[in-house]
Every structure is written in structure tokens, then in C-alpha cells.
Amino acid sequence: MLDESLVVTSAVSAFNNAAVVAPAFLWNAVLALPLFAAIYVFGRHALDKLGLRSYVTMERATFWTIIITALWVILMGGNYAVLRDGVSLLPWLTAAILFVSFMFVGINTRVIKLPIWYGATNAKPKRRWIINILFLILFLIPVGLSDVLNWWGPILQIGAVLCGVLLGRWGRWNMAPVPWTIGIMLATTIGVLMQPELFRFGQLGNLTPAHLIWVMMVGIFAAIALAATVVNPRGRIHQSAYVKLKWLTRFISALCMILFLLTEAVPIFIASVAALFVQFAMSVWHSDTVPQHLGYNAMAITMILFGVLTGTVAVTSMGLLLIAVPENRHIGMGFLL
């Protein structure tokens, strides 16, 4: 009766039974609906009163979305002794997310000068440098503790953060905010699917329809935002060929999404997002023009959905503000279907 395996099995079964009727991320979003409604309805008025309306831009929203996502990956990963730990590729994926995130942060903080060691004769800069080193160490401690399942886990995560910051600050390249933010959100979603129990998204059993549908919605709007951002309307595809290709991509996308809902497989989710991107990109490339705020609104909706998925209220709130603040709220996504 008190055997360890029986206790663990009973606990897992109870968690799974609870998760079937209580997907925590969804119920948390339902409880937060009054807050989200207030932000959407009164956000523009409050920002006008405070004189902060000009600060609500896509560049700032993507910057803070990447920071919050990186912190979520660091703080929300649980070091559970699950069966897949020995063969999981999740530590490498989280390291890649942290590397790209902090490289983006490094690029966008180049204007901030780091403290310089002036020597013992100048006590104030020396003290400032020491304080910054202490803050860096305190930050790297949770980064290392986010992956202690193997001896090389902390080294991998800390190295990813440090290399990302250094390459971002001292490199000579830039990163487009919207495509890279979409990439980080999709990579984080893939990590959640790889091991839902690690990120407290689901239990050891199958995910519920609420989990799967919400993940698919994130993939759909991420594909729309990426297609509207990186593809330019050219009017190049002949109409008859476009109709045939459109139906082909619709069939492939629908088939991939149905297979994902049935199997919960990460490769099929990636294939679904890729097929949707091809479908939407082809629609944009075929058109002469696209709605002015298509990419902007699609990105905002992706942030809202991703914030609900990960339980980061700040990301959802920023997405709501991006839609609520501009005068033109027309989304204009009908021609993509």
C-alpha cells in the first residue's frame, strides 16, 4: 500500500483526471476576463490621461514579450524526474530560446553603457561595477537551477544566456522584432508540447481538447502574423493556378491540424504551422495589396493567445493594448482563408 510506485501512480492518475475537466491555463484566463476586458475598454483612455499612449508600440511590446518569455522559461520549468528526461531534447530547446532571447535583448540595449572598472582610486565606479557583478550572479543562479537534471544542464543554460548577451551587444547585426518574437513564441509552444508536465501545462497523460485547440490557435495566428510581415504583396500568381494551389494548401493544412488534434505530435504541429504559413504567404504574395494593419493585429492576437497559454498576464495585456490603442481596429484577415 505504501510502495513508492503505487503512490506515484495514484498521484499521476489523480492529476490526469483533474486535468481532463480543469485545464489550469484556461480557467486562469476565465478568472482574468474582467481584467482583460477593463484593459481593452479603458486602456486607451487611461493611457491618454497618463500621457503614455505614445509608448504603446509594437517594438516595445515585442521587446518585453521576449524578456517575459525568457523569464517564464527560466522560472516555470520544473525539474521533475519524469521518464523522458534521459532522452529529451528540451534542455537544448530552452537553451536556444534563452540564447536568441538574450541576443535580442543585447542588441536592443547597446545604447546602455556598461560600468567600467576605473581602479581603486575611484571608489564610486568600482563599487558600481561590483554591484552589477553581484546582480549578474544573482540572476544566473535561477538560470542554472532551471536545468539541474544533468551535470551539464546549468552550464548549458548559463552559457546560452551569456553568449546571447555578448553577441547581441558586440555584434554588428540587428534582429527584426516581429519575426524573431514569433519564432520565440513558437519555440516556447513547441517546448510546452514536448514535455507539458515540465512547464506545468498538462499532466503525464494526454492533453485535453482545450490544450490542443489553444496551441493550434497560437500556431494559426503566428503563421498569419509571420506571412503578413515577411511576405510582400506582388500579384504574381495567375488566378487559375492560385485557386488550385489555394485548395491544395487548404487540404494539407486541414489534414495536418486534424492529425495534430488526434496525435498531439510535435512534428505534426510544426508541419501544421508550416503548411498554414505557406497558405497565408501565398495569399499575400498573390494579392496586389493587403489590409494596412493585418500583420500588426495578427501579431497582437498571437501575443494575447500566447499569454493565455503560458499564464503571463502581462503579455496578454500588451496584446490587448496594441489592438485597443490604434484608431483603426479592423483586423482584415478574411482574404487569407
Side-chain angles (χ1 to χ4, degrees):
M1 180 177 177
L2 298 178
D3 182 71
E4 291 182 359
S5 61
L6 291 177
V7 173
V8 173
T9 303
S10 300
V12 170
S13 177
F15 289 149
N16 288 337
N17 293 336
V20 169
V21 295
F25 83 98
L26 183 60
W27 291 118
N28 289 338
V30 171
L31 292 174
L33 276 178
L35 173 63
F36 295 152
I39 292 173
Y40 181 78
V41 175
F42 303 109
R44 183 193 306 182
H45 178 72
L47 291 172
D48 287 339
K49 286 291 185 181
L50 297 174
L52 299 176
R53 185 171 177 179
S54 61
Y55 287 90
V56 181
T57 63
M58 183 59 72
E59 288 74 17
R60 287 189 174 91
T62 52
F63 177 77
W64 286 107
T65 297
I66 287 178
I67 291 179
I68 293 170
T69 302
L71 294 177
W72 184 86
V73 169
I74 293 171
L75 298 176
M76 292 302 293
N79 293 290
Y80 307 125
V82 294
L83 297 177
R84 289 175 285 176
D85 284 340
V87 295
S88 176
L89 298 175
L90 190 60
W92 301 97
L93 179 62
T94 55
I97 293 171
L98 294 179
F99 173 76
V100 175
S101 299
F102 283 95
M103 185 166 65
F104 184 87
V105 172
I107 289 173
N108 287 274
T109 56
R110 287 173 182 168
V111 295
I112 302 176
K113 295 183 178 180
L114 294 176
I116 301 175
W117 188 290
Y118 289 100
T121 57
N122 195 335
K124 187 175 180 180
K126 179 180 178 180
R127 184 165 56 251
R128 182 186 173 195
W129 175 264
I130 293 174
I131 292 174
N132 281 271
I133 291 295
L134 291 176
F135 275 116
L136 177 62
I137 293 173
L138 290 175
F139 173 70
L140 291 179
I141 289 175
V143 173
L145 293 177
S146 66
D147 185 12
V148 294
L149 296 173
N150 301 287
W151 65 267
W152 46 264
I155 300 174
L156 178 64
Q157 306 302 326
I158 293 175
V161 170
L162 293 179
C163 291
V165 171
L166 293 176
L167 287 176
R169 287 192 63 88
W170 283 287
R172 295 185 178 181
W173 55 82
N174 292 314
M175 298 170 68
V178 171
W180 284 100
T181 305
I182 293 172
I184 289 172
M185 288 192 292
L186 282 177
T188 305
T189 304
I190 291 171
V192 167
L193 283 174
M194 288 172 64
Q195 281 190 252
E197 70 278 5
L198 189 76
F199 292 112
R200 300 177 180 88
F201 181 64
Q203 308 303 330
L204 293 176
N206 295 333
L207 295 175
T208 68
H211 291 96
L212 297 174
I213 292 173
W214 205 273
V215 166
M216 198 67 254
M217 288 171 60
V218 172
I220 291 171
F221 281 95
I224 294 175
L226 189 62
T229 303
V230 302
V231 180
N232 295 321
R234 299 293 186 185
R236 292 293 179 88
I237 307 176
H238 192 271
Q239 181 63 27
S240 60
Y242 170 74
V243 172
K244 296 179 179 66
L245 290 173
K246 188 76 171 181
W247 278 106
L248 177 63
T249 55
R250 285 172 181 165
F251 175 77
I252 295 174
S253 300
L255 179 61
C256 289
M257 287 189 288
I258 292 172
L259 287 175
F260 169 69
L261 295 177
L262 293 174
T263 63
E264 306 178 17
V266 173
I268 297 179
F269 173 74
I270 297 173
S272 300
V273 176
L276 288 166
F277 172 76
V278 172
Q279 175 184 340
F280 301 143
M282 187 174 61
S283 298
V284 174
W285 199 46
H286 171 72
S287 302
D288 295 321
T289 59
V290 297
Q292 182 180 1
H293 299 285
L294 173 62
Y296 180 95
N297 288 320
M299 182 62 187
I301 294 174
T302 306
M303 290 171 58
I304 294 171
L305 297 173
F306 179 76
V308 172
L309 182 75
T310 56
T312 49
V313 178
V315 175
T316 301
S317 301
M318 285 189 292
L320 289 169
L321 285 176
L322 287 176
I323 294 179
V325 167
E327 297 295 338
N328 186 0
R329 303 186 186 186
H330 177 63
I331 297 177
M333 299 183 186
F335 80 103
L336 293 173
L337 302 177

Short mmCIF file of all heavy atoms in Angstrom, two decimals, residues 151-176:
data_model
loop_
_atom_site.label_atom_id
_atom_site.label_comp_id
_atom_site.label_asym_id
_atom_site.label_seq_id
_atom_site.Cartn_x
_atom_site.Cartn_y
_atom_site.Cartn_z
N TRP A 151 24.48 17.11 -15.13
CA TRP A 151 25.56 17.97 -14.63
C TRP A 151 25.86 19.11 -15.58
O TRP A 151 26.31 20.18 -15.18
CB TRP A 151 26.82 17.12 -14.39
CG TRP A 151 27.40 16.54 -15.65
CD1 TRP A 151 27.15 15.31 -16.18
CD2 TRP A 151 28.33 17.17 -16.53
NE1 TRP A 151 27.85 15.11 -17.33
CE2 TRP A 151 28.60 16.24 -17.58
CE3 TRP A 151 28.98 18.40 -16.56
CZ2 TRP A 151 29.47 16.53 -18.63
CZ3 TRP A 151 29.84 18.69 -17.60
CH2 TRP A 151 30.09 17.76 -18.62
N TRP A 152 25.59 18.89 -16.89
CA TRP A 152 25.89 19.93 -17.87
C TRP A 152 24.71 20.88 -18.08
O TRP A 152 24.84 21.85 -18.83
CB TRP A 152 26.27 19.30 -19.20
CG TRP A 152 25.37 18.20 -19.65
CD1 TRP A 152 25.55 16.86 -19.47
CD2 TRP A 152 24.11 18.33 -20.36
NE1 TRP A 152 24.51 16.14 -20.02
CE2 TRP A 152 23.61 17.01 -20.57
CE3 TRP A 152 23.38 19.42 -20.82
CZ2 TRP A 152 22.41 16.77 -21.22
CZ3 TRP A 152 22.18 19.19 -21.45
CH2 TRP A 152 21.70 17.88 -21.65
N GLY A 153 23.57 20.60 -17.44
CA GLY A 153 22.40 21.46 -17.63
C GLY A 153 22.63 22.91 -17.24
O GLY A 153 22.38 23.82 -18.05
N PRO A 154 23.08 23.20 -16.02
CA PRO A 154 23.33 24.60 -15.64
C PRO A 154 24.36 25.28 -16.54
O PRO A 154 24.22 26.47 -16.87
CB PRO A 154 23.84 24.48 -14.20
CG PRO A 154 23.28 23.19 -13.71
CD PRO A 154 23.26 22.28 -14.89
N ILE A 155 25.41 24.54 -16.94
CA ILE A 155 26.43 25.13 -17.81
C ILE A 155 25.81 25.52 -19.15
O ILE A 155 26.10 26.60 -19.69
CB ILE A 155 27.59 24.13 -18.02
CG1 ILE A 155 28.24 23.79 -16.67
CG2 ILE A 155 28.62 24.69 -18.98
CD1 ILE A 155 29.30 22.71 -16.76
N LEU A 156 24.95 24.66 -19.68
CA LEU A 156 24.31 24.93 -20.97
C LEU A 156 23.44 26.18 -20.90
O LEU A 156 23.51 27.07 -21.77
CB LEU A 156 23.48 23.72 -21.39
CG LEU A 156 22.69 23.85 -22.70
CD1 LEU A 156 23.64 24.00 -23.88
CD2 LEU A 156 21.77 22.65 -22.89
N GLN A 157 22.60 26.27 -19.88
CA GLN A 157 21.67 27.40 -19.79
C GLN A 157 22.41 28.72 -19.51
O GLN A 157 22.12 29.75 -20.13
CB GLN A 157 20.63 27.14 -18.69
CG GLN A 157 19.88 25.82 -18.84
CD GLN A 157 19.15 25.68 -20.15
OE1 GLN A 157 18.64 26.66 -20.70
NE2 GLN A 157 19.09 24.47 -20.67
N ILE A 158 23.35 28.70 -18.58
CA ILE A 158 24.12 29.92 -18.27
C ILE A 158 24.94 30.35 -19.47
O ILE A 158 25.03 31.54 -19.82
CB ILE A 158 25.00 29.70 -17.03
CG1 ILE A 158 24.13 29.52 -15.78
CG2 ILE A 158 25.97 30.87 -16.84
CD1 ILE A 158 24.90 29.18 -14.53
N GLY A 159 25.57 29.38 -20.14
CA GLY A 159 26.34 29.72 -21.33
C GLY A 159 25.48 30.32 -22.43
O GLY A 159 25.91 31.24 -23.13
N ALA A 160 24.24 29.81 -22.60
CA ALA A 160 23.34 30.35 -23.62
C ALA A 160 23.00 31.81 -23.33
O ALA A 160 23.00 32.65 -24.23
CB ALA A 160 22.07 29.51 -23.69
N VAL A 161 22.73 32.11 -22.06
CA VAL A 161 22.39 33.49 -21.69
C VAL A 161 23.58 34.42 -21.90
O VAL A 161 23.45 35.49 -22.53
CB VAL A 161 21.91 33.54 -20.22
CG1 VAL A 161 21.79 34.99 -19.76
CG2 VAL A 161 20.58 32.82 -20.08
N LEU A 162 24.75 34.04 -21.41
CA LEU A 162 25.93 34.91 -21.52
C LEU A 162 26.35 35.10 -22.97
O LEU A 162 26.64 36.23 -23.40
CB LEU A 162 27.08 34.33 -20.70
CG LEU A 162 26.88 34.32 -19.18
CD1 LEU A 162 28.09 33.68 -18.49
CD2 LEU A 162 26.66 35.73 -18.65
N CYS A 163 26.37 34.01 -23.75
CA CYS A 163 26.74 34.13 -25.16
C CYS A 163 25.75 34.99 -25.93
O CYS A 163 26.14 35.79 -26.79
CB CYS A 163 26.85 32.74 -25.79
SG CYS A 163 28.23 31.77 -25.19
N GLY A 164 24.47 34.84 -25.62
CA GLY A 164 23.47 35.66 -26.30
C GLY A 164 23.64 37.14 -26.03
O GLY A 164 23.61 37.96 -26.94
N VAL A 165 23.85 37.49 -24.76
CA VAL A 165 24.03 38.90 -24.40
C VAL A 165 25.28 39.47 -25.04
O VAL A 165 25.27 40.57 -25.62
CB VAL A 165 24.07 39.06 -22.87
CG1 VAL A 165 24.48 40.48 -22.50
CG2 VAL A 165 22.72 38.73 -22.26
N LEU A 166 26.38 38.73 -24.98
CA LEU A 166 27.65 39.23 -25.52
C LEU A 166 27.58 39.39 -27.03
O LEU A 166 28.02 40.42 -27.58
CB LEU A 166 28.79 38.28 -25.14
CG LEU A 166 29.12 38.21 -23.65
CD1 LEU A 166 30.20 37.18 -23.38
CD2 LEU A 166 29.55 39.58 -23.11
N LEU A 167 27.03 38.40 -27.74
CA LEU A 167 26.91 38.52 -29.19
C LEU A 167 25.96 39.64 -29.59
O LEU A 167 26.18 40.34 -30.58
CB LEU A 167 26.43 37.19 -29.78
CG LEU A 167 27.44 36.05 -29.81
CD1 LEU A 167 26.79 34.77 -30.33
CD2 LEU A 167 28.63 36.41 -30.69
N GLY A 168 24.89 39.83 -28.80
CA GLY A 168 23.95 40.90 -29.11
C GLY A 168 24.56 42.28 -28.92
O GLY A 168 24.36 43.17 -29.76
N ARG A 169 25.30 42.46 -27.86
CA ARG A 169 25.85 43.79 -27.57
C ARG A 169 27.02 44.14 -28.48
O ARG A 169 27.17 45.29 -28.88
CB ARG A 169 26.29 43.87 -26.10
CG ARG A 169 25.14 43.93 -25.12
CD ARG A 169 25.63 44.30 -23.73
NE ARG A 169 26.23 45.63 -23.70
CZ ARG A 169 25.56 46.76 -23.49
NH1 ARG A 169 24.26 46.72 -23.29
NH2 ARG A 169 26.17 47.92 -23.47
N TRP A 170 27.87 43.17 -28.79
CA TRP A 170 29.07 43.49 -29.54
C TRP A 170 29.02 43.03 -30.99
O TRP A 170 29.98 43.21 -31.72
CB TRP A 170 30.29 42.88 -28.84
CG TRP A 170 30.68 43.70 -27.65
CD1 TRP A 170 31.30 44.93 -27.66
CD2 TRP A 170 30.45 43.40 -26.27
NE1 TRP A 170 31.47 45.39 -26.38
CE2 TRP A 170 30.97 44.47 -25.49
CE3 TRP A 170 29.88 42.33 -25.59
CZ2 TRP A 170 30.92 44.50 -24.11
CZ3 TRP A 170 29.82 42.35 -24.21
CH2 TRP A 170 30.34 43.42 -23.49
N GLY A 171 27.91 42.46 -31.41
CA GLY A 171 27.76 42.13 -32.82
C GLY A 171 27.36 43.36 -33.62
O GLY A 171 27.03 44.42 -33.08
N ARG A 172 27.34 43.21 -34.94
CA ARG A 172 27.02 44.33 -35.82
C ARG A 172 25.72 44.11 -36.59
O ARG A 172 25.45 44.80 -37.57
CB ARG A 172 28.17 44.56 -36.81
CG ARG A 172 29.47 44.99 -36.15
CD ARG A 172 30.52 45.32 -37.18
NE ARG A 172 31.76 45.78 -36.56
CZ ARG A 172 32.85 46.16 -37.24
NH1 ARG A 172 32.84 46.11 -38.57
NH2 ARG A 172 33.93 46.55 -36.60
N TRP A 173 24.94 43.16 -36.19
CA TRP A 173 23.69 42.87 -36.89
C TRP A 173 22.50 43.26 -36.02
O TRP A 173 22.63 43.47 -34.82
CB TRP A 173 23.63 41.39 -37.25
CG TRP A 173 23.81 40.49 -36.06
CD1 TRP A 173 22.89 40.12 -35.14
CD2 TRP A 173 25.05 39.89 -35.63
NE1 TRP A 173 23.43 39.32 -34.17
CE2 TRP A 173 24.76 39.16 -34.45
CE3 TRP A 173 26.35 39.89 -36.14
CZ2 TRP A 173 25.74 38.45 -33.78
CZ3 TRP A 173 27.31 39.17 -35.46
CH2 TRP A 173 27.01 38.46 -34.30
N ASN A 174 21.35 43.32 -36.65
CA ASN A 174 20.10 43.62 -35.95
C ASN A 174 19.12 42.47 -36.17
O ASN A 174 19.30 41.63 -37.06
CB ASN A 174 19.50 44.94 -36.43
CG ASN A 174 20.35 46.13 -36.03
OD1 ASN A 174 20.78 46.23 -34.89
ND2 ASN A 174 20.60 47.03 -36.97
N MET A 175 18.09 42.45 -35.36
CA MET A 175 17.06 41.41 -35.46
C MET A 175 15.70 42.09 -35.59
O MET A 175 15.34 42.92 -34.76
CB MET A 175 17.09 40.52 -34.20
CG MET A 175 18.40 39.78 -34.00
SD MET A 175 18.51 38.96 -32.38
CE MET A 175 17.27 37.68 -32.57
N ALA A 176 14.96 41.73 -36.64
CA ALA A 176 13.61 42.28 -36.83
C ALA A 176 12.73 41.82 -35.68
O ALA A 176 12.65 40.62 -35.39
CB ALA A 176 13.03 41.83 -38.15
#
